[in-house]
Amino acid sequence: MKRKVTKAIFPVAGLGTRFLPATKSIPKEILTLVDRPLIQYAIDEARAAGIKEFIFVTSRGKSALEDYFDDAPELETSLRKKGKTQLLEELKATNMDSGAIAYVRQNRPMGLGHAVWCARRLVGNESFAVILTDDVIAAEKPCLQQMMEAHAETGGNIVAAMEVPHDKTSSYGVLDVSEDMGSLVRVKGMVEKPAPDVAPSNLAVIGRYILTPKVMQNLNKKKEGAGGEIQLTDAIAEEIRNDNPVYGFRFRGQRYDCGSKAGFLQATVAFGLARPDLRDEFSDFLGDVVAMRPAAE
Ligand code: G1P
């Protein structure tokens, strides 16, 4: 029987320059969609997919992230005293068991591949997941769980994928498809951030991966790729050349690019509208804003 994937890497070392000045003193992963930080969405998705060990690759200035997952006994006592039981339950759901999270440091920003490689000793000789917290995916069944189910059938390496506009390929890893089976595609090549005229397709990698330990070994070579960085895409592509299978998985769900301001705003609106306690008031407000827009122009 195939071993279950129980470890996930969260590369959270990025500087978050696109969200300055907010990210001058808080990690971008703590920025909130409605009332939950981005990292919480990623952790919840990982938990739903059966992940038990959470490996954060951090950097200087990210200590707020470590504090976030600790128990908050004073806060809990105060909420209990005030009888705010629902809030208390919500708060407790964010606590992580001692030992479930491990932190490793990436000393220098050398690319996503390098960040993942920093977790090699904690991953050992097991397949592992990678979640990029910038990519928030709203889905009935969480994206990583969908991928785990597909992976149970295929084994090998799987990356989340979706079609993007042709002129946007240079923002993504892009798949060269050898066989299209619908939600699954077999991949014969992968390119990191190709210009539209050389991109093999417009099927882009989105930040969810299930990878074999061999990808980690490929990262040992520390070969620089696009942008002079060590790219995860290149280490996965090497597996194809070694005749080990790589699949793209067209997930069911809506992806928001919360690494960009526009994407973050879109996610805020979508998640706000999805909340029963906010929906009515918020949609009335949005209706008014839209109605007023021509006058403001
Ligand atoms: C990273 C990956 C890229 C992938 C993207 C998805 O790029 O390197 O292959 O398509 O995430 O969001 P980044 O957005 O960190 O530049």
Side-chain angles (χ1 to χ4, degrees), residues 136-183:
V136 175
I137 300 172
E140 223 161 90
K141 184 182 281 181
C143 179
L144 191 64
Q145 193 182 342
Q146 296 176 35
M147 289 170 71
M148 289 287 194
E149 288 171 7
H151 185 252
E153 305 288 322
T154 61
N157 302 280
I158 297 198
V159 301
M162 74 179 232
E163 265 80 20
V164 297
H166 272 284
D167 61 348
K168 294 282 188 286
T169 55
S170 60
S171 300
Y172 297 94
V174 175
L175 302 180
D176 192 356
V177 174
S178 59
E179 194 187 347
D180 196 330
M181 297 163 275
S183 59

Side-chain angles (χ1 to χ4, degrees), residues 18 112 132 135 171-173 192-193 204-207 209 231 233 255:
R18 282 196 242 173
L112 177 61
L132 306 187
D135 284 326
S171 300
Y172 297 94
E192 181 66 10
K193 307 208 164 86
V205 177
I206 300 302
Y209 308 77
Q231 297 292 353
T233 297
R255 173 253 184 180

